[in-house]
C-alpha cells in the first residue's frame, strides 16, 4: 500500500483560498482536509470542500471525450478517443476559420479553477494563433474593480485582516459568514473586543443576524445613500482636510455636487430614514479606525461601478486610509499583481506568438447570450472551460438559443455533465484540482498557495494546460508555451516574485514586501494618472461616464418607469452553504441536503397577492418565467423578493430554465460587468 500526502490549496472562486492536505492510497484520493498550518484558513475547509473526495471520485465524472450523438441540448453523447475528438475539433474549427475568419471563434471561461496556470495560460497562445475573438469583462469583480480603479488607479485596497484593529466594521453588501467564512473569526474577535459591526444589505442575511446593526436599503440604491453620507461628512466637517488637500483631486467640485444630496433627499430613494443615514455618516466620520468591507454581490447593478467609486472615496474623505483598521477592503488580488504574481505573462506571450496579428475584437464575458445571438459577424465556434454559463450568466435564455444554433460548433471542457455541457458538440474530460499542479493566487488574503497533485487524473481527464496543448498540437501549432511543462509554466508566471522552493515546501507564502500593518495609501501614492485619489475622474469622462459619482435613476429597479407590470425587485444571492456557485449543486451529497429553489416574499407582498407559504407561484417578467414554491420571509423588505441562485436547471422543474433566464442582461455603467440585481418581476399564484 502506497500512501501519499501532499500540500494543496483550494482552487474555487472563493476569497478564502484555504490550504489543504490531500491524501491518496494506491493512487486513489482518500482524504482532503484543512492544513492546520495555513495562516488564514487555520485547518478548516467548508461544507462544500469537506466533501471534495466525493466530488473527485463521483460516478458522475466525465472520464473520456464525448461526441454529440443526439439533438443539441439533448445530453446524448457517445464516447470517443482523444484522437477522434481532436480531429473533429480541427475539422470544424478550420472550416469556420476558412469561411468566416478567426474572430468567428470565441473562447469563454470563468474561474472554475482560479489557478495561475489552470485558469487560462496555454489557452491565450492557442486563441492568438487562431486569431479568435477575445474575452473581456467579468461577472465577478470587473464592475467593482473598475469603480475602485477610477479613484485609486487600480484595485489595490486594504487587507481585510486589518479588521482586527478596527473600531467600526461596515460589511457593505457582503455576506461574510457564508461567502468569506474564514474572515469571520477576525470580525467576531473585533466585535468581542468592542468594535461595532454594521451590515448594509437589502436582505437580512446570516451575517446581518450577527451584526450590531443592519441597514436594509432598497437594492441598487447605495449610490444615493453614499452621496448623502458625503454630504453629511462635509456639512458637519468630519473631513480629514490635511489628507484630502495632500492626496485627493476634486474635493471642491465633489462638495458642490453633493450639497443638495441630503439624507432627506437620499431617504426617499434608498428607503432608509434620514435619521439613520445621518447617524451612519456621523459614526463613520468620527471613528478613525472604521473599515468598509465589500466583495462582489453588491456590484451586480448597472450602478455597481459608481457604488464602488463612492465606497473607495469615503475613507479618502475621512482620512481613514492612513489609520490601521480603517480603509476600504475589497479584493487583495492586486497586491499580488503588484508583486508580479499573476498570469498576465501568458496574454503577453500570446502576442509574441503572432506579432503580425491585428487587434482582435473583444466580447464581454457577461454578454455571452448577446454574443451568440445578436452579432452581425456571428460566432461559429465556441470553446468553454472553467464555467457553467447557461446557469451562471444573465440572459441565459439567449445563451440556450445560441447554443442550439446549427451553425455553431461548441467545445466544452468539464468534470461533469453540467447544464452547459449538455449543449456541446464535443466534451473533453477535465482533471480535478487534486489531480493537477498549480499555484493559487488568493484575492481574499495575502498568502499564495501551492497545489501538488495527490493522484493522476482519473480516466482520460487532463488539466486545462494539457487540454490546450493537445488542441494546439492537433492544429499543428508549435510555440514557446506549448513546449513548457506545468512546472515550467509556473516558473514563467512567477518569475523572481517568490521562492518556488519555499512555496512548495511550506504550501503557502505571503505576498512579498507587505507587512501585516501595511497601509498602501497612508501617504497617498495612488496609482491614478494624477497620483491622487480622484474624487473627480477624467478617466470616467473618457469612458463617457460622469466625472462625478452621479445618482442615476435605475432603468430597471425600485421606483423606475419599468415597475408597472413587474413591480418587485428580484435578488438572486448565494445562499446554500453546500454550493459554490453552480458547482456541487449537481451532486446528490450536496443538493440532497439543501432545500429549494423557492421564491421568498415579504409577508405584505405575499398577502397582497393572496399567497401563502408552500403555494406554487409563477415568477416572471418579459424575459422568462418559473414556477416556484412560496416561502414567506421576514428577511426581506416590501417590494423585494429573493430566489437563491446556484441550483441546476432540473431543480426548477422543466430542466430548461433557471433563475438567470429572468435576470437583467444590461451592462454596468462602465467596467463590463453584469446587473443581475436590477431585475424586476411579478409573482402570482401558479
Ligand atoms: N457558500 C458560498 N460561498 C461563496 C460562493 C458561493 O456560491 N457559496 N461564491 C463565491 C463567489 S464567486 C463570490 S464572487 C463571493 C461573493 O461574495 P459576496 O459578495 O459576499 O456574496 P453575494 O451573495 O454575491 O452578495 C453579497 C450580498 O450583497 C447583497 N447586495 C445585493 N445588491 C446589493 C445592493 O445594491 N446594496 C447592498 N448594500 N448590498 C447588496 C446581497 O443581498 C448579498 O447578501 O462568494 C464566494 N463564496
Ligand atoms: N443570478 C446570479 N448569477 C450569478 C451570481 C449571482 O450572485 N446571482 N454570481 C456570479 C458570480 S460572482 C460568479 S463568479 C459566477 C460563477 O459562475 P461560473 O464561473 O460559471 O462558476 P460555476 O457555476 O461554479 O462553474 C464552474 C465550472 O467549472 C468546472 N471546473 C472546475 N475546475 C475545472 C478545471 O480545472 N477545468 C475545467 N475545464 N473545468 C473546471 C466545474 O465543474 C464547474 O462546472 O456566477 C455568476 N452568476
Ligand atoms: S470553497 Fe472557499 S471556504 Fe471552501 S475550502 Fe475552498 S477556499 Fe475554503
Ligand atoms: Mo464570483
Amino acid at each position: 500500500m502506497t500512501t501519499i500526502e501532499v500540500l494543496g490549496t483550494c482552487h474555487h472562486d472563493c476569497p478564502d483560498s484555504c490550504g489543504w492536505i490531500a491524501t491518496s492510497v494506491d493512487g486513489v484520493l482518500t482524504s482532503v482536509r484543512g492544513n492546520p498550518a495555513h495562516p488564514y484558513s487555520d485547518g478548516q475547509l467548508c461544507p462544500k470542500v469537506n466533501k471534495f473526495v466525493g466530488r473527485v471520485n463521483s460516478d458522475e465524472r466525465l472520464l473520456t471525450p464525448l461526441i454529440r450523438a443526439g439533438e443539441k441540448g439533448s445530453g446524448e453523447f457517445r464516447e470517443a478517443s482523444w484522437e477522434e475528438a481532436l480531429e473533429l475539433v480541427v475539422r470544424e474549427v478550420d472550416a469556420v476559420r476558412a469561411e468566416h475568419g478567426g474572430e468567428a471563434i470565441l473562447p469563454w471561461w470563468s474561474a472554475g479553477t482560479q489557478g495561475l496556470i489552470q485558469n487560462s495560460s496555454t489557452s491565450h497562445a492557442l486563441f492568438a494563433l487562431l486569431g479568435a475573438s477575445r474575452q473581456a469583462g467579468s461577472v465577478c469583480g470587473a464592475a467593482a474593480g473598475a469603480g475602485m480603479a477610477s479613484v485609486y488607479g487600480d484595485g489595490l485596497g486594504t487587507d481585510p485582516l486589518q479588521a482586527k484593529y478596527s473600531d467600526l466594521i461596515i460589511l457593505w453588501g457582503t455576506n461574510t459568514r457564508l461567502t468569506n467564512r474564514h474572515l469571520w473569526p477576525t470580525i467576531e474577535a473585533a466585535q468581542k473586543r468592542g468594535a461595532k459591526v454594521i451590515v448594509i444589505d437589502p436582505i437580512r442575511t446570516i451575517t446581518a443576524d450577527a451584526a450590531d446593526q443592519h441597514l436594509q436599503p432598497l437594492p441598487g440604491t447605495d449610490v444615493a445613500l453614499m452621496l448623502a453620507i458625503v454630504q453629511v461628512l462635509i456639512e458637519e466637517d468630519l473631513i480629514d482636510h490635511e489628507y484630502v488637500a495632500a492626496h485627493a483631486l476634486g474635493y471642491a467640485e465633489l462638495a458642490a455636487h453633493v450639497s443638495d444630496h441630503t439624507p432627506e433627499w437620499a431617504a426617499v430613494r434608498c428607503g432608509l430614514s434620514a435619521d439613520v443615514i445621518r447617524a451612519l455618516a456621523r459614526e463613520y466620520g468620527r471613528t478613525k479606525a472604521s473599515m468598509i468591507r465589500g466583495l462582489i454581490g453588491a456590484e451586480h447593478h448597472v450602478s455597481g461601478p459608481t457604488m464602488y467609486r463612492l465606497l473607495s472615496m469615503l475613507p479618502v474623505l475621512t482620512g481613514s486610509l492612513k489609520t490601521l483598521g480603517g480603509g476600504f477592503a475589497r479584493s487583495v488580488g492586486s497586491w499580488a499583481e503588484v508583486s508580479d504574481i499573476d498570469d498576465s505573462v501568458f496574454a503577453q506571450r500570446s502576442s509574441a506568438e503572432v506579432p503580425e496579428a491585428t487587434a482582435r475584437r473583444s466580447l464581454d464575458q457577461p454578454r455571452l447570450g448577446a454574443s451568440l445571438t445578436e452579432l452581425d459577424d456571428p460566432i461559429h465556434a465556441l470553446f468553454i472551460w472553467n464555467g457553467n454559463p447557461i446557469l451562471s450568466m444573465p440572459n441565459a435564455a439567449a445563451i440556450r438559443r445560441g447554443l442550439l444554433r446549427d451553425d455553431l460548433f461548441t467545445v466544452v471542457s468539464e468534470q461533469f455533465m453540467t447544464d452547459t455541457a449538455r449543449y456541446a458538440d464535443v466534451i473533453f474530460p477535465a482533471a480535478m484540482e487534486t489531480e493537477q499542479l498549480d499555484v493559487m493566487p488568493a484575492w481574499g488574503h495575502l498568502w499564495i498557495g501551492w497545489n501538488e497533485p495527490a493522484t493522476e487524473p482519473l480516466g482520460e481527464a487532463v488539466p486545462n494546460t494539457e487540454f490546450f496543448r493537445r488542441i494546439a498540437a492537433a492544429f499543428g501549432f508549435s510555440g514557446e508555451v506549448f513546449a513548457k511543462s506545468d512546472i515550467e509554466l509556473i516558473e514563467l508566471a512567477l518569475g523572481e516574485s517568490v521562492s518556488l522552493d519555499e512555496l512548495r515546501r511550506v504550501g503557502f507564502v505571503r505576498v512579498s514586501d507587505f507587512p501585516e500593518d501595511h497601509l498602501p495609501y497612508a501617504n497617498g501614492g495612488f496609482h491614478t494618472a494624477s497620483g491622487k485619489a480622484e474624487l473627480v475622474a477624467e478617466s470616467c469622462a473618457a469612458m463617457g461616464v460622469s466625472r462625478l459619482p452621479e445618482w442615476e435613476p435605475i432603468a430597471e429597479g425600485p421606483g423606475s418607469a419599468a415597475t408597472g407590470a413587474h413591480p418587485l425587485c428580484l435578488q438572486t444571492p448565494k445562499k446554500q452553504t453546500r454550493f459554490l456557485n453552480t458547482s456541487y449543486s449537481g451532486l446528490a451529497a450536496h443538493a440532497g441536503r439543501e432545500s429549494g429553489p423557492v421564491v421568498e416574499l415579504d409577508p405584505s407582498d405575499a398577502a397582497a397577492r393572496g399567497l401563502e407559504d408552500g403555494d406554487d407561484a409563477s415568477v416572471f417578467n418579459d424575459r422568462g418565467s418559473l414556477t416556484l414554491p412560496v416561502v414567506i420571509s421576514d428577511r426581506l423588505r416590501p417590494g423585494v423578493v429573493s430566489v437563491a441562485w446556484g441550483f441546476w436547471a432540473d431543480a426548477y422543474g422543466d430542466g430548461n430554465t433557471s433563475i438567470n433566464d429572468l435576470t437583467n442582461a444590461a451592462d454596468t455603467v462602465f467596467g463590463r460587468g453584469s446587473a443581475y440585481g436590477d431585475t424586476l418581476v411579478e409573482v402570482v399564484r401558479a
Side-chain angles (χ1 to χ4, degrees):
M1 208 167 72
T2 314
T3 301
I4 298 176
E5 215 175 60
V6 297
L7 295 173
T9 305
C10 182
H11 57 297
H12 283 309
D13 192 355
C14 171
D16 291 6
S17 303
C18 299
W20 72 35
I21 298 171
T23 311
S24 65
V25 178
D26 292 339
V28 178
L29 186 74
T30 53
S31 145
V32 174
R33 60 185 198 282
N35 178 0
H38 195 274
Y40 189 77
S41 51
D42 196 24
Q44 304 294 315
L45 298 174
C46 68
K48 300 145 273 177
V49 178
N50 285 336
K51 290 199 159 76
F52 197 66
V53 175
R55 181 174 171 88
V56 172
N57 295 332
S58 163
D59 292 343
E60 288 168 50
R61 263 193 76 178
L62 305 179
L63 298 176
T64 68
L66 298 169
I67 291 178
R68 179 164 65 85
E71 296 289 304
K72 283 196 182 219
S74 65
E76 288 166 41
F77 292 87
R78 66 173 173 82
E79 290 186 5
S81 66
W82 269 89
E83 197 183 7
E84 185 193 2
L86 286 170
E87 264 173 31
L88 177 63
V89 170
V90 171
R91 197 164 63 238
E92 293 287 334
V93 174
D94 268 343
V96 168
R97 287 164 82 200
E99 198 177 337
H100 306 284
E103 285 186 338
I105 304 166
L106 179 66
W108 186 98
W109 73 100
S110 187
T113 169
Q114 311 195 100
L116 192 66
I117 62 165
Q118 301 303 350
N119 178 269
S120 51
S121 57
T122 44
S123 53
H124 289 284
L126 171 69
F127 292 108
L129 287 159
L130 287 171
S133 292
R134 295 169 192 269
Q135 173 167 286
S138 160
V139 295
C140 188
M148 201 167 168
S150 75
V151 182
Y152 294 171
D154 57 24
L156 188 81
T158 303
D159 178 358
L161 281 180
Q162 291 176 2
K164 71 169 146 226
Y165 304 110
S166 304
D167 295 323
L168 176 64
I169 300 164
I170 304 180
L171 301 173
W172 205 311
T174 177
N175 191 359
T176 314
R177 286 176 74 202
L178 180 80
T179 59
N180 186 189
R181 58 194 291 127
H182 295 90
L183 181 62
W184 186 251
T186 303
I187 292 172
E188 207 174 24
Q191 197 181 25
K192 285 218 174 82
R193 184 198 17 88
K196 180 170 176 181
V197 177
I198 299 179
V199 166
I200 303 181
D201 196 307
I203 299 175
R204 182 158 60 78
T205 59
I206 55 169
T207 307
D209 287 337
D212 299 293
Q213 190 183 0
H214 173 213
L215 304 189
Q216 204 164 4
L218 284 165
T221 65
D222 302 67
V223 169
L225 171 57
M226 279 183 277
L227 287 170
I229 291 176
V230 175
Q231 193 272 338
V232 175
L233 293 176
I234 292 173
E235 186 175 273
E236 306 199 358
D237 200 22
L238 297 167
I239 302 292
D240 183 334
H241 291 289
E242 207 177 305
Y243 188 84
V244 167
H247 306 304
L249 191 75
Y251 175 72
E253 236 183 295
L254 179 69
H257 172 58
V258 300
S259 62
D260 54 354
H261 292 2
T262 59
E264 286 70 19
W265 169 87
V268 290
R269 289 167 175 80
C270 61
L272 296 173
S273 83
D275 288 348
V276 164
I277 299 172
R278 199 165 267 116
L280 174 66
R282 287 178 182 151
E283 190 161 17
Y284 179 69
R286 287 177 189 155
T287 314
K288 285 302 153 205
S290 52
M291 179 183 287
I292 297 173
R293 166 66 171 161
L295 215 53
I296 304 287
E299 78 169 14
H300 292 151
H301 299 274
V302 171
S303 63
T306 315
M307 173 178 173
Y308 281 80
R309 258 180 107 175
L310 279 155
L311 284 174
S312 309
M313 288 182 195
L314 291 177
V316 174
L317 295 169
T318 62
S320 91
L321 282 170
K322 64 185 193 205
T323 307
L324 200 54
F328 175 38
R330 199 185 66 86
S331 162
V332 294
S334 26
W335 292 47
E337 281 162 32
V338 170
S339 312
D340 282 334
I341 305 174
D342 68 4
D343 60 4
S344 57
V345 62
F346 297 117
Q348 288 156 16
R349 294 286 165 123
S350 74
S351 340
E353 296 283 353
V354 266
E356 77 284 2
T358 49
R360 296 179 277 139
R361 73 174 164 183
S362 288
L363 298 172
D364 290 355
Q365 187 209 37
R367 294 180 56 81
L368 181 61
S371 296
L372 296 182
T373 56
E374 290 174 19
L375 294 180
D376 290 338
D377 294 314
I379 295 300
H380 290 286
L382 173 66
F383 288 79
I384 297 176
W385 71 102
N386 273 344
N388 192 2
I390 213 167
L391 292 184
S392 59
M393 295 299 111
N395 201 12
I399 300 176
R400 191 173 293 107
R401 272 200 316 280
L403 293 177
L404 284 171
R405 276 173 40 205
D406 281 332
D407 60 348
L408 177 74
F409 179 72
T410 304
V411 179
V412 172
S413 162
E414 249 302 345
Q415 299 163 338
F416 292 95
M417 188 60 79
T418 60
D419 287 291
T420 303
R422 297 174 70 84
Y423 287 83
D425 291 290
V426 186
I427 305 175
F428 289 93
M432 291 274 177
E433 208 61 27
T434 47
E435 301 167 344
Q436 58 196 15
L437 184 70
D438 216 339
V439 163
M440 231 43 74
W443 48 281
H445 59 73
L446 290 166
W447 288 274
I448 68 162
W450 182 254
N451 189 66
E452 186 75 30
T455 70
E456 290 292 316
L458 287 187
E460 296 173 29
V462 297
N464 291 335
T465 44
E466 176 65 12
F467 169 54
F468 290 110
R469 275 188 208 108
R470 290 188 186 184
I471 294 195
F475 277 105
F477 295 150
S478 57
E480 184 203 351
V481 300
F482 303 125
K484 289 195 186 294
S485 65
D486 283 0
I487 187 70
E488 288 167 341
L489 289 173
I490 288 173
E491 282 165 358
L492 176 66
L494 289 182
E496 302 294 305
S497 58
V498 295
S499 150
L500 206 57
D501 286 345
E502 187 190 350
L503 184 56
R504 194 168 211 165
R505 183 169 42 78
V506 183
F508 48 84
V509 294
R510 198 174 156 87
V511 172
S512 59
D513 300 334
F514 295 122
E516 207 190 285
D517 57 358
H518 179 59
L519 298 174
Y521 306 120
N523 301 305
F526 293 93
H527 301 118
T528 52
S530 63
K532 299 196 169 186
E534 300 196 345
L535 308 176
V536 168
E538 296 310 329
S539 64
C540 286
M543 292 184 286
V545 179
S546 170
R547 300 161 67 243
L548 286 154
E550 198 109 38
W551 163 259
E552 281 165 87
I554 307 160
E556 185 178 345
S560 73
T563 45
H566 309 119
L568 298 168
C569 184
L570 172 71
Q571 298 303 293
T572 57
K574 301 152 178 96
K575 191 173 181 196
Q576 272 58 32
T577 57
R578 295 175 187 81
F579 297 174
L580 191 283
N581 300 328
T582 77
S583 300
Y584 298 98
S585 27
L587 293 174
H590 295 255
R593 297 184 61 202
E594 298 280 8
S595 58
V598 300
V599 55
E600 295 181 54
L601 291 105
D602 179 77
S604 62
D605 290 323
R609 289 164 178 77
L611 291 169
E612 289 176 23
D613 253 327
D615 284 352
D616 274 339
S618 164
V619 183
F620 65 94
N621 57 21
D622 291 340
R623 288 179 289 266
S625 160
L626 282 173
T627 302
L628 295 170
V630 167
V631 167
I632 297 178
S633 165
D634 59 0
R635 292 179 172 274
L636 302 166
R637 50 178 300 159
V640 180
V641 300
S642 172
V643 176
W645 166 75
F647 294 91
W648 280 27
D650 59 6
Y652 293 91
D654 71 356
N656 270 321
T657 324
S658 82
I659 196 60
N660 273 330
D661 283 63
L662 276 66
T663 50
N664 195 336
D667 298 325
T668 49
V669 282
F670 59 99
R672 307 184 124 175
S674 60
Y676 306 98
D678 288 345
T679 297
L680 291 174
V681 295
E682 178 54 294
V683 180
V684 299
R685 183 184 295 279

